[in-house]
Every structure is written in structure tokens, then in C-alpha cells.
Amino acid sequence: MTLLIALGIVIIASFIAAAASVLVHRTVHVEVRRRHNEIGTAVFLQLGVIFAVLLAFVFSEVWSEYNDAASAIEMESKALVGAAILASALPPAEGLPIIQAERTYITGVIRDEWPAMKAGRDEEPTVSVKLSHLIQETARMRPDNAADLGTRAQLLTFLEQAQMERSTRLFQLSSGVPILLWCLLIGFGTVLAIFVTLAGVENGGALISFSVTFAAAVAAILVLIHLLDYPFEGALALNSQPFVVALDQINHLTTSNP
């Protein structure tokens, strides 16, 4: 969802609220609405509390998952850089293939996997295979001395961390808010907006302003939740910049240590 679409949704919700307020103001007498408020206020308050708690819970969850995805991207790229630094300390015959495999993997993430994640909420299988092969080849290394053996163990630790963070990153692709929960949020918001539209306000302009403000606020929060719900899509999508930086660091590392 782009920012333009998000803004359009808020504007449409505001327009509907304004039109409904005008219709209610012209067709329902203010005294009828005031009698409605005598009973409806208690219901409105109870529904408002339930909606607020539900909305806070959902927003907290999607915000936490969004931050988890961002953290996983940073940790995965840093783990790969750490592995490359260790690999550069190995003899060239053992270290260079590892660094080259890391380059291939990171390039695949940037060029192939990220567009797939952004468009289809799915990983790129060939990129996943590259990381698996990298870990397997590192595990098969047979260093000649104890120091290189320790380096291999640390290499595996970094690569396993990268694999774990990758799993966290990919998990966020499909861990969206369930449809039933969306229905509840939209349903509660609609019902509460109707209550506001039926407020016993004599002035038509005031009634319209109350309704539009409430509808716009609810719509904006729901749109924000949707934008955060899938962290690799839409206007708030996370980018692959940490991997670009990691690739540059690895290239610089091999250039300065031929």
C-alpha cells in the first residue's frame, strides 16, 4: 500500500462520515438523537473501551514484529560481515571461497530475494540454497592447525546466526493480522462511527466535524497497522540497505587484504 492509497482511504472514510452526518442531521431530529444518546452513551463507552484495548494490542504486536524484522536484517548482515572478517584471516585457499560464497549470497538477497519479498511475500529458494551450501562447505573444512580450527568454529557460529536471523526475517513475510481480527477492528470502528454520527448535536457543522475527525482517526490508525503488518511491502517497507553496506564492507575487506 502506497502513501497515496493510504491517504485516499482516510479521505474516503472522512467523506463517508461527512455524508452520513449530513443525512442524519437532515432526517433525524435532534431530540430523537438526544434520547438515543441517553441510552447509547453507556453502550458507546463500553464498546469504545473494548475497541481501544483491541486496537492497542494489535498495534503493539505489528509494531513489535516490524522492529523484529528490522533487527533481523541488521543482525544477519552483520553476522555475514563478521564471518567474512574471520574468513580473510584463513589461508587464501580456504578463506577466499567462503568470502566469494558470501558475496554470491548477499548479491542474491539484494537482486533476487528482496524484489520477490516485496512483490509476493515469499522468499527466493535459490538464495536460501546458497546460504545452506555456504554453511555446509564451511563445516567440511579441515584446517591444518588448531588456530584455524578455532576460526572455523567461530565462522560457523556467525553463519548459523545469519541463518537464524534469516529465518526470523522470512517469518515476518506471512505473519500478518488474521482476517477475523481485521473484521473485528473494522466492525468496531464502523459501529462507533455510527454512534458518533447519531450524536445529539444541534449544530450541523459540529456534528460533521465530530464524525469526520473520529472516522479519519480510526481509518488512519487501521491504515498504519496495515502498513506495519507486512514490513517488506508498501510505503513503510524495510529496504536491503544493510546488505548493500555489508557487501561493500566485504569487497573493501578483500581489496585491502588481497
Side-chain angles (χ1 to χ4, degrees), residues 226-248:
H226 185 274
L227 289 173
L228 294 173
D229 197 19
Y230 293 99
F232 302 101
E233 302 176 32
L236 301 182
L238 299 171
N239 58 48
S240 59
Q241 185 61 27
F243 287 99
V244 175
V245 173
L247 185 60
D248 289 341

Side-chain angles (χ1 to χ4, degrees), residues 132-230:
S132 298
H133 286 171
L134 172 59
I135 296 175
Q136 291 170 356
E137 290 300 320
T138 304
R140 294 191 186 104
M141 287 174 53
R142 294 295 179 266
D144 296 330
N145 56 66
D148 290 345
L149 186 63
T151 301
R152 187 199 69 166
Q154 295 177 24
L155 263 172
L156 286 174
T157 299
F158 276 118
L159 293 177
E160 288 169 359
Q161 181 184 359
Q163 177 68 48
M164 182 178 64
E165 299 298 343
R166 171 184 170 81
S167 299
T168 300
R169 167 168 63 87
L170 295 177
F171 175 76
Q172 303 304 329
L173 286 171
S174 57
S175 62
V177 176
I179 296 297
L180 178 60
L181 197 50
W182 273 116
C183 292
L184 284 174
L185 289 173
I186 295 173
F188 268 115
T190 302
V191 171
L192 291 175
I194 292 173
F195 270 94
V196 175
T197 304
L198 292 173
V201 180
E202 186 173 356
N203 184 278
L207 179 62
I208 293 173
S209 64
F210 292 158
S211 299
V212 169
T213 301
F214 183 84
V218 172
I221 294 173
L222 293 179
V223 165
L224 179 59
I225 289 175
H226 185 274
L227 289 173
L228 294 173
D229 197 19
Y230 293 99

Side-chain angles (χ1 to χ4, degrees), residues 32-90:
V32 175
R33 284 184 273 135
R34 285 174 179 171
R35 288 196 297 271
H36 161 268
N37 286 352
E38 293 176 359
I39 302 175
T41 299
V43 178
F44 177 83
L45 292 176
Q46 295 298 323
L47 290 178
V49 171
I50 296 173
F51 180 68
V53 171
L54 183 61
L55 197 63
F57 171 77
V58 174
F59 183 85
S60 176
E61 285 296 312
V62 297
W63 177 243
S64 176
E65 291 178 359
Y66 183 89
N67 285 328
D68 287 344
S71 175
I73 294 169
E74 290 287 343
M75 296 301 293
E76 181 182 356
S77 59
K78 288 180 180 178
L80 291 169
V81 172
I85 293 173
L86 288 176
S88 66
L90 292 171

Side-chain angles (χ1 to χ4, degrees), residues 12-36:
I12 290 172
S14 302
F15 178 79
I16 293 174
S21 298
V22 172
L23 181 63
V24 167
H25 184 69
R26 291 180 177 179
T27 58
V28 183
H29 195 272
V30 65
E31 292 301 328
V32 175
R33 284 184 273 135
R34 285 174 179 171
R35 288 196 297 271
H36 161 268

